[in-house]
Amino acid sequence: MEDKSQSGDSITFLGAGGARFMMYNQSLATGGFWLNLSGTEILVDPGPGSIVQSTKRKLRAEKLSAIILSHRHLDHSADVNIMVEAMTLGGFRRHGRLFAPADALETEPVIFSYIREFVDGVEVLEEGKSYSIDDISFSTPVRHIHPVETYGLVFRTAQHTFSHITDTLYFEGLSQHYSGELLIINVVFLEPRAPSDHPGMPVEHLSVPDVERIINELKPKVAILTHFGMSVWRAKPWQIAQRLSAKTGVRVIASRDGMRFDLAELDT
Ligand SMILES: [Zn+2]
C-alpha cells in the first residue's frame, strides 16, 4: 500500500499520554508526535514507546530528518537513543540532526555519546533562537517554568505556522509567544496545583483552566490537546475538548493514540 504520509503535511500522535503515572501504566501511549511537512519528517519528544508506536503506524525512522527534545524528562526523551539508532540504521547511514536543551546534553546526558556520532549534528536549543530543517524553520521563543530547561516550539512551513506548548507552569505572557493557526498543547492536570501545596512534587504543568485561558488569548483556528495525565484521562479528554470548543468558539480536538491531523484541515 502507498505510504500516505507523503501526500500532505500531517501530524501523527504517537500517544496522547504524558506525565509520570500515565507513562508507568500506558493507559495512553507516550511516544510524542511525528511531523511530515512537505516530505520532511521530524519527531518531537520520543517518550517511552515511541519506537513501538511509530513502527505500528508504519512511520519509518530512517526517513526522519530530525528529532527534537523539548526537555530531558523521561516522558519526552526515554526512546531518544533507539530512535536515533533507527533513524541512522545503527550508524550505517549517518544523517539527521538532534535538537535538545543544553541540560539534556551536558551533565548526565539523555543521549549516549556513541549515538551522537551517528547524526549530522547535535544542536542546542536556546531561548529566542530559530533553527531550520530543510525548508522548515522552527523557533524556541521562551523558556518555560518547569523543573528542567524546556522550550515550546513554533514551526513555520511554506503554507502553515503552528505552535507546540510543552510542559510548563502557566505564566503571564506565555501565550504571546505561540501564535499560529494551530496550537498543540500539553495538558497534564484537570485542575491547577500550586507548587507550594506539593513540595518536591513536579506540578509545574498546565491544567484545563490554564488551557482555556491560553486558547482564548490565542484564538487559533484549531487547538489539539495532548500529553494527558491521569486526571485528564479519567475526565474524558474528548468531553473536555467539546466543552472548551463551546466556551472558546475555537475548534478544540483531544488527541488520541495514533491520531493523524492533516494540516490541510486548517485551510478549509
Ligand atoms: Zn516535563
Side-chain angles (χ1 to χ4, degrees):
M1 217 169 99
E2 248 319 276
D3 182 6
K4 284 190 183 150
S5 63
Q6 285 300 312
S7 61
D9 291 359
S10 66
I11 303 169
T12 304
F13 291 84
L14 300 178
R20 302 196 302 172
F21 291 95
M22 184 60 83
M23 175 167 70
Y24 309 148
N25 66 35
Q26 294 287 306
S27 300
L28 292 170
T30 53
F33 59 90
W34 189 296
L35 305 173
N36 186 335
L37 304 172
S38 313
T40 297
E41 301 189 32
I42 301 166
L43 173 61
V44 179
D45 282 352
S50 200
I51 187 70
V52 175
Q53 297 300 323
S54 57
T55 49
K56 196 165 146 183
R57 313 287 169 201
K58 308 268 187 292
L59 295 166
R60 292 166 52 199
E62 67 269 26
K63 293 167 80 181
L64 285 168
S65 296
I67 297 174
I68 304 173
L69 298 186
S70 69
H71 63 292
R72 60 174 295 127
H73 280 155
L74 275 177
D75 53 334
H76 300 255
S77 70
D79 270 11
V80 66
N81 288 292
I82 178 68
M83 293 315 293
V84 173
E85 277 222 11
M87 174 170 78
T88 61
L89 301 174
F92 283 105
R93 205 182 139 240
R94 182 184 152 138
H95 82 287
R97 285 183 296 157
L98 176 75
F99 297 84
D103 85 342
L105 299 167
E106 291 169 355
T107 49
E108 198 184 44
V110 297
I111 180 153
F112 298 133
S113 50
Y114 82 92
I115 284 177
R116 289 191 201 199
E117 307 296 319
F118 298 169
V119 295
D120 272 341
V122 176
E123 297 199 35
V124 178
L125 299 178
E126 291 175 57
E127 185 174 59
K129 290 271 176 78
S130 291
Y131 307 84
S132 59
I133 303 164
D134 302 336
D135 294 333
I136 311 306
S137 73
F138 75 94
S139 60
T140 43
V142 65
R143 184 170 176 162
H144 285 188
I145 301 174
H146 203 55
V148 298
E149 185 182 359
T150 188
Y151 307 96
L153 306 166
V154 181
F155 288 93
R156 288 185 184 81
T157 73
Q159 290 84 30
H160 298 107
T161 300
F162 61 97
S163 298
H164 170 49
I165 300 184
T166 189
D167 296 357
T168 187
L169 191 68
Y170 182 85
F171 57 91
E172 219 46 64
L174 169 67
S175 306
Q176 72 190 45
H177 300 284
Y178 295 106
S179 56
E181 308 151 84
L182 168 67
L183 173 67
I184 302 162
I185 187 162
N186 287 6
V187 51
V188 167
F189 293 144
L190 190 60
E191 298 295 340
R193 300 184 196 178
S196 52
D197 296 340
H198 301 81
M201 287 291 290
V203 297
E204 291 172 330
H205 284 290
L206 296 173
S207 63
V208 172
D210 296 327
V211 170
E212 180 181 338
R213 184 169 168 182
I214 292 165
I215 291 172
N216 267 323
E217 285 165 352
L218 284 171
K219 294 282 183 196
K221 280 189 185 168
V222 176
I224 301 179
L225 315 179
T226 193
H227 206 71
F228 306 132
M230 292 305 293
S231 62
V232 174
W233 176 234
R234 287 195 199 102
K236 303 187 171 68
W238 56 95
Q239 291 184 0
I240 294 170
Q242 245 175 16
R243 278 197 297 275
L244 290 178
S245 291
K247 283 169 121 174
T248 63
V250 169
R251 183 180 167 211
V252 181
I253 301 170
S255 72
R256 289 172 279 104
D257 288 356
M259 181 180 92
R260 177 174 142 165
F261 180 83
D262 287 304
L263 296 189
E265 288 186 43
L266 298 169
D267 305 329
T268 54

